[in-house]
Amino acid sequence: MENMTIQDILLATNGTLLCGDPSMPIDRISTNSMEMGPNTLFVPIIGERVNAHIFIPSALEQGGACLTQEHDEASGDAPYIKVPNTLKAMQQIAAYYRDKMSLPIIGVTGSVGKTTTREMIAHVLRGKYKVFETIGNQNSQVGVPLTLDRLSSDDEIGVLEMGMSEPGQITILGEIIHPNIGVVTNVGVSHIEMMGTRDNICREKLDIQNGLPEDGTLLLNGDNDMIRKHLSYVKKPYEFYGFAPDCTYRAENIQVQGSQTFFRFCYKETAEDILLNVLGDHNVSNALAAIAIGLKYQVPMEAIKTQLSTFSGQRQTIIHSHGYTIIDDSYNASPDSMKASLKILSNYKSGGRKIAVLSDMLELGEKAPEYHREVGRFLASTDVTDLYVTGELSKEYIAEASSIKPSIRTKHFESNGDLIRFLEEFLSAEDVLLVKASNGMKLKEVSDALA
């Protein structure tokens, strides 16, 4: 943080200074008492298992200040600021600090694809600007304020990811970020356990519009059925990107060569050939959003094309090892992303077997078994030859796929270790395998071992 003091914290939160110097500079905020130091503001969050107020004394040993919602009085040199709710106060501080900065910010949300789309947009914008973006998965009610803490006056444009797991959270994040453009990538079933229906998820994602300024716009995935269904809910100007004929930013003539994707980008009278070093129609869609944002912020088309051709991303990695190929997409999974990755595996040019190494998709609620069967049905329609899984729900993949396409070779393993030992003996040159599951299933252990 730059040019912030305790007095700014008081203005942002409408808090009460119980003790300490209001002119003390504040350079950063932290929710971790082990990462404190001079000019750091400690924010003790009350969690489900731990109330971090117990760490205030140790947090202030190296100097700094703190928020509190449990003290009515305090003494000493370290500033204590009384607020009704420390989490809400941290969000207010982040919003106050963001509003001190004049740079435009693009907010990105969606059930599937938001991280890769955010990364692509940032990569394209680096063709002209110094870009500030979300690091890792800091896209939550806590993560976004901690992300904005790193914003500096040197940054020229920002791209921030906005995640949610409960109703109302996208509106809260929008009030913090105040994005100039909101991107909605997709509406699937992630977090349906808390949200109830896809319709509820869609309206929640579209609530990114609540944080936009009067002249703000939405960039929407025109190929998503739920977004189309709920257009009457949209109150801001919007444009579509995608493959549908009415999309403002459109892709045509998609071709795959090895680990590269080529397509024709169409916008008004413009038609450009684009090269991506990532696979899948979903990544073409993500690239369309990135191109659209690049054009809106006057990044030259040649710079956009160069940036996209050098994008690799963090989520989907192609690894060539011992003569076979691993498509490591083990970070996360939902029915939509699972189908997209299985399509990549099916279309991958290889002289060997096409092997799906899968585990459970988590946080899908009471309909989780049916969502796994849905993926099994899709898998049976592809050119996948082998299906090897861990996890109880993953048995549904096998049951459904085998009932439709008995020729698929399948096996369920009790542990990732058992699966690794099998694959180490089973794999041969020219095989290609997809490794994918929700992060909690730790299937990254498999791809790491094989690589």
Side-chain angles (χ1 to χ4, degrees), residues 353-392:
R353 296 164 294 193
K354 296 182 177 182
I355 304 162
V357 178
L358 311 179
S359 194
D360 294 357
M361 302 178 291
L362 304 178
E363 298 181 349
L364 296 180
E366 62 183 17
K367 292 185 177 179
E370 172 53 32
Y371 291 128
H372 285 75
R373 289 191 288 272
E374 178 184 322
V375 170
R377 287 192 292 274
F378 180 83
L379 189 149
S381 71
T382 70
D383 292 334
V384 173
T385 60
D386 297 71
L387 172 61
Y388 303 119
V389 306
T390 65
E392 285 303 306

Side-chain angles (χ1 to χ4, degrees), residues 240-368:
F240 283 138
Y241 67 93
F243 309 126
D246 65 339
C247 288
T248 305
Y249 307 91
R250 194 174 71 258
E252 297 179 348
N253 193 26
I254 301 170
Q255 299 180 22
V256 176
Q257 296 180 16
S259 59
Q260 295 180 320
T261 304
F262 300 83
F263 69 94
R264 175 62 60 89
F265 167 70
C266 302
Y267 168 65
K268 295 183 179 179
E269 304 303 317
T270 298
E272 296 282 347
D273 291 324
I274 305 294
L275 161 66
L276 298 178
N277 271 314
V278 289
L279 297 173
D281 289 354
H282 62 293
N283 275 321
V284 174
S285 181
N286 298 339
L288 290 172
I291 297 170
I293 295 296
L295 293 176
K296 286 179 180 296
Y297 286 98
Q298 293 79 51
V299 181
M301 178 54 75
E302 285 307 308
I304 291 174
K305 292 169 68 172
T306 298
Q307 292 299 104
L308 286 175
S309 71
T310 60
F311 176 81
S312 58
Q314 301 178 28
R315 295 299 171 89
Q316 182 195 96
T317 305
I318 307 296
I319 304 167
H320 300 286
S321 178
H322 306 290
Y324 51 79
T325 300
I326 304 167
I327 304 172
D328 181 3
D329 199 2
S330 56
Y331 179 81
N332 219 333
S334 67
D336 288 334
S337 67
M338 191 70 83
K339 292 175 191 176
S341 294
L342 287 167
K343 185 176 180 181
I344 291 173
L345 173 63
S346 180
N347 293 338
Y348 201 93
K349 298 293 187 282
S350 171
R353 296 164 294 193
K354 296 182 177 182
I355 304 162
V357 178
L358 311 179
S359 194
D360 294 357
M361 302 178 291
L362 304 178
E363 298 181 349
L364 296 180
E366 62 183 17
K367 292 185 177 179

Side-chain angles (χ1 to χ4, degrees), residues 18 48 54 84 134 144 162 175 206-207 223 261 289 296 303 308 315 345 393 395 399 434 443:
L18 301 180
E48 292 182 2
I54 64 174
T134 302
V144 167
M162 302 166 68
E175 291 171 348
L206 291 172
D207 277 344
D223 300 317
T261 304
K296 286 179 180 296
L308 286 175
R315 295 299 171 89
L345 173 63
L393 285 168
K395 293 176 181 178
L434 166 71
L443 218 56

Side-chain angles (χ1 to χ4, degrees), residues 51-94:
N51 181 347
H53 283 75
I54 64 174
F55 301 118
I56 288 177
S58 61
L60 298 180
E61 286 179 356
Q62 303 299 318
C66 73
L67 300 181
T68 178
Q69 66 186 66
E70 295 194 343
H71 292 78
D72 293 319
E73 57 183 36
S75 61
D77 295 332
Y80 278 62
I81 299 172
K82 176 67 180 292
V83 294
N85 182 288
T86 52
L87 174 58
K88 179 65 176 176
M90 181 170 70
Q91 295 167 349
Q92 291 170 328
I93 293 165

Side-chain angles (χ1 to χ4, degrees), residues 126-144:
R126 287 193 181 95
K128 182 176 180 179
Y129 301 100
K130 185 178 187 301
V131 179
F132 174 79
E133 69 169 316
T134 302
I135 291 181
N137 61 350
Q138 285 195 325
N139 62 13
S140 67
Q141 310 299 292
V142 173
V144 167

